[in-house]
Coordinates of all heavy atoms in Angstrom, one line a residue:
S244 N 47.2 6.5 54.9 CA 47.3 5.4 53.9 C 48.3 4.4 54.4 O 49.2 4.7 55.2 CB 47.7 5.9 52.6 OG 49.1 6.4 52.6
G245 N 48.1 3.2 53.9 CA 49.0 2.1 54.2 C 49.3 1.3 52.9 O 48.4 0.9 52.2
A246 N 50.6 1.2 52.6 CA 51.0 0.5 51.4 C 51.8 -0.7 51.7 O 52.8 -0.6 52.5 CB 51.7 1.4 50.5
Y247 N 51.5 -1.9 51.1 CA 52.3 -3.1 51.2 C 52.9 -3.4 49.9 O 52.2 -3.5 48.9 CB 51.5 -4.2 51.7 CG 52.2 -5.5 51.8 CD1 52.9 -5.9 53.0 CD2 52.3 -6.4 50.8 CE1 53.6 -7.0 53.1 CE2 53.0 -7.6 50.9 CZ 53.7 -7.9 52.1 OH 54.4 -9.1 52.2
Y248 N 54.2 -3.5 49.8 CA 54.9 -3.7 48.5 C 55.3 -5.2 48.4 O 55.9 -5.8 49.3 CB 56.2 -2.8 48.5 CG 55.8 -1.4 48.3 CD1 55.7 -0.5 49.5 CD2 55.5 -0.8 47.1 CE1 55.4 0.8 49.4 CE2 55.2 0.5 47.0 CZ 55.1 1.3 48.1 OH 54.8 2.7 48.0
F249 N 54.9 -5.6 47.2 CA 55.2 -7.0 46.9 C 56.7 -7.2 46.5 O 57.3 -8.2 46.6 CB 54.3 -7.5 45.8 CG 52.9 -7.4 46.1 CD1 52.1 -6.5 45.3 CD2 52.3 -8.0 47.1 CE1 50.7 -6.3 45.6 CE2 50.9 -7.9 47.4 CZ 50.2 -7.0 46.7
N250 N 57.2 -6.1 45.9 CA 58.6 -6.1 45.5 C 59.1 -4.7 45.6 O 58.5 -3.9 46.2 CB 58.8 -6.7 44.1 CG 58.0 -6.0 43.1 OD1 57.8 -4.8 43.1 ND2 57.4 -6.8 42.2
K251 N 60.2 -4.4 45.0 CA 60.8 -3.1 45.1 C 60.0 -2.0 44.5 O 60.0 -0.8 44.9 CB 62.2 -3.2 44.4 CG 63.0 -1.9 44.6 CD 64.4 -2.1 44.0 CE 65.3 -0.9 44.2 NZ 66.6 -1.1 43.6
Y252 N 59.1 -2.4 43.5 CA 58.4 -1.4 42.7 C 56.9 -1.4 42.9 O 56.2 -0.3 42.7 CB 58.7 -1.5 41.2 CG 60.2 -1.4 41.0 CD1 60.9 -2.6 40.7 CD2 60.9 -0.2 41.0 CE1 62.3 -2.6 40.5 CE2 62.3 -0.2 40.8 CZ 63.0 -1.4 40.5 OH 64.3 -1.3 40.3
V253 N 56.2 -2.5 43.1 CA 54.8 -2.7 43.0 C 54.2 -3.1 44.3 O 54.8 -4.0 45.0 CB 54.4 -3.7 41.9 CG1 52.9 -3.8 41.8 CG2 55.0 -3.2 40.6
G254 N 53.1 -2.5 44.7 CA 52.4 -2.9 45.9 C 50.9 -2.6 45.9 O 50.4 -2.2 44.8
A255 N 50.3 -2.8 47.0 CA 48.8 -2.5 47.1 C 48.7 -1.5 48.2 O 49.4 -1.5 49.2 CB 48.1 -3.8 47.4
E256 N 47.7 -0.6 48.0 CA 47.5 0.6 49.0 C 46.1 0.7 49.4 O 45.2 0.5 48.6 CB 48.1 1.9 48.3 CG 48.0 3.1 49.3 CD 48.5 4.3 48.6 OE1 48.4 4.4 47.3 OE2 49.1 5.2 49.3
G257 N 45.9 1.1 50.6 CA 44.6 1.5 51.1 C 44.7 2.9 51.7 O 45.6 3.3 52.4
I258 N 43.6 3.8 51.3 CA 43.6 5.2 51.7 C 42.3 5.5 52.4 O 41.2 5.1 52.0 CB 43.9 6.1 50.5 CG1 45.3 5.8 49.9 CG2 43.8 7.6 51.0 CD1 45.5 6.7 48.7
F259 N 42.4 6.3 53.5 CA 41.2 6.9 54.1 C 41.4 8.4 54.2 O 42.5 8.8 54.6 CB 41.0 6.3 55.5 CG 39.9 7.0 56.3 CD1 38.6 6.7 56.0 CD2 40.2 8.0 57.2 CE1 37.6 7.4 56.7 CE2 39.2 8.6 57.9 CZ 37.9 8.3 57.6
I260 N 40.4 9.1 53.8 CA 40.4 10.6 53.7 C 39.2 11.1 54.4 O 38.1 10.6 54.2 CB 40.5 11.1 52.3 CG1 41.7 10.4 51.5 CG2 40.7 12.6 52.3 CD1 41.7 10.8 50.1
D261 N 39.4 12.1 55.3 CA 38.3 12.8 55.9 C 38.4 14.3 55.7 O 39.4 14.9 56.2 CB 38.2 12.4 57.4 CG 37.0 13.0 58.1 OD1 36.1 13.4 57.4 OD2 37.0 12.9 59.3
N262 N 37.4 14.9 55.0 CA 37.4 16.3 54.8 C 36.0 16.8 55.4 O 35.0 16.9 54.6 CB 37.5 16.7 53.3 CG 38.8 16.2 52.7 OD1 38.7 15.2 52.0 ND2 39.9 16.8 53.1
P263 N 35.9 17.0 56.7 CA 34.5 17.2 57.3 C 34.0 18.6 57.4 O 32.9 18.8 57.7 CB 34.7 16.6 58.7 CG 36.2 17.0 59.0 CD 36.9 16.9 57.7
D264 N 34.9 19.6 57.1 CA 34.5 21.0 57.6 C 34.4 21.9 56.4 O 34.9 23.0 56.4 CB 35.6 21.5 58.6 CG 35.5 20.7 59.8 OD1 34.5 20.2 60.2 OD2 36.6 20.5 60.4
G265 N 33.6 21.5 55.4 CA 33.3 22.5 54.3 C 32.1 23.4 54.7 O 31.7 23.4 55.9
V266 N 31.6 24.2 53.7 CA 30.4 25.0 54.0 C 29.2 24.1 53.9 O 28.6 23.9 52.9 CB 30.3 26.1 53.0 CG1 29.1 27.0 53.4 CG2 31.6 27.0 53.0
N267 N 29.0 23.4 55.0 CA 28.0 22.3 55.1 C 28.2 21.2 54.1 O 27.3 20.5 53.7 CB 26.6 22.9 54.8 CG 25.5 22.1 55.5 OD1 25.7 21.5 56.5 ND2 24.3 22.0 54.9
D268 N 29.5 21.1 53.7 CA 29.9 20.0 52.8 C 30.9 19.1 53.6 O 31.8 19.7 54.3 CB 30.6 20.5 51.5 CG 29.7 21.4 50.7 OD1 28.5 21.2 50.8 OD2 30.2 22.3 50.0
G269 N 30.8 17.9 53.4 CA 31.7 17.0 54.1 C 31.9 15.7 53.3 O 31.0 15.2 52.6
F270 N 33.2 15.2 53.4 CA 33.5 14.0 52.6 C 34.4 13.1 53.4 O 35.4 13.5 54.0 CB 34.3 14.4 51.3 CG 33.5 15.4 50.4 CD1 33.7 16.7 50.6 CD2 32.7 14.9 49.4 CE1 33.0 17.6 49.8 CE2 32.0 15.8 48.6 CZ 32.1 17.1 48.8
Q271 N 34.0 11.8 53.5 CA 34.8 10.7 54.0 C 34.9 9.7 52.9 O 33.9 9.2 52.4 CB 34.2 10.1 55.3 CG 34.2 11.0 56.5 CD 33.0 11.9 56.6 OE1 31.9 11.4 56.3 NE2 33.1 13.1 57.0
A272 N 36.2 9.2 52.7 CA 36.4 8.3 51.5 C 37.4 7.2 51.9 O 38.2 7.4 52.8 CB 36.9 9.1 50.4
G273 N 37.2 6.1 51.3 CA 38.1 5.0 51.4 C 38.4 4.4 50.1 O 37.5 4.2 49.2
Y274 N 39.7 4.1 49.8 CA 40.1 3.6 48.5 C 41.1 2.4 48.6 O 41.8 2.3 49.6 CB 40.9 4.7 47.7 CG 40.0 5.9 47.4 CD1 40.0 7.0 48.3 CD2 39.3 5.9 46.2 CE1 39.3 8.1 48.0 CE2 38.5 7.1 46.0 CZ 38.5 8.1 46.8 OH 37.7 9.2 46.6
L275 N 41.1 1.5 47.7 CA 42.0 0.4 47.5 C 42.5 0.4 46.1 O 41.7 0.6 45.2 CB 41.4 -0.9 47.9 CG 41.0 -1.2 49.4 CD1 40.3 -2.5 49.5 CD2 42.3 -1.2 50.2
G276 N 43.8 0.0 45.9 CA 44.3 -0.1 44.6 C 45.8 -0.3 44.6 O 46.5 -0.3 45.6
P277 N 46.3 -0.4 43.4 CA 47.8 -0.6 43.2 C 48.6 0.7 43.4 O 48.0 1.8 43.1 CB 47.9 -1.2 41.8 CG 46.8 -0.6 41.1 CD 45.6 -0.5 42.0
I278 N 49.8 0.5 43.8 CA 50.7 1.6 43.9 C 52.1 1.2 43.3 O 52.5 0.1 43.4 CB 50.9 2.1 45.4 CG1 51.8 3.3 45.4 CG2 51.5 1.0 46.2 CD1 51.8 4.0 46.8
F279 N 52.7 2.2 42.6 CA 53.9 2.0 41.9 C 54.9 3.0 42.4 O 54.6 4.1 42.7 CB 53.8 2.1 40.4 CG 52.7 1.2 39.9 CD1 51.4 1.7 39.8 CD2 52.9 -0.1 39.5 CE1 50.3 0.9 39.3 CE2 51.9 -0.9 39.0 CZ 50.6 -0.4 38.9
R280 N 56.2 2.5 42.6 CA 57.2 3.5 43.1 C 58.5 3.3 42.4 O 58.8 2.3 41.8 CB 57.4 3.3 44.6 CG 58.1 2.0 45.0 CD 58.2 1.9 46.5 NE 58.7 0.5 46.9 CZ 58.9 0.1 48.1 NH1 58.7 1.0 49.1 NH2 59.3 -1.1 48.4
A281 N 59.3 4.4 42.5 CA 60.7 4.4 41.9 C 61.7 4.8 43.0 O 61.9 6.0 43.1 CB 60.7 5.3 40.7

C-alpha cells in the first residue's frame, strides 16, 4: 500500500493484495480510499 497524507491526520491510500495460492482459489485486489491516522 501507499498512503499520501494531506495533513497530520487525513490522507488517501491505494492498496494492492495478491492471495494466489488457495485450493484452486485465488484473489488479486486493488483499492483506493481515505485513510485516517492518530
Side-chain angles (χ1 to χ4, degrees):
S244 67
Y247 178 87
Y248 289 94
F249 306 114
N250 54 42
K251 186 175 181 179
Y252 304 103
V253 180
E256 183 181 27
I258 298 178
F259 173 77
I260 307 173
D261 186 12
N262 304 106
D264 295 327
V266 183
N267 205 34
D268 300 329
F270 300 91
Q271 293 89 38
Y274 297 92
L275 289 174
I278 184 170
F279 307 90
R280 67 181 173 181

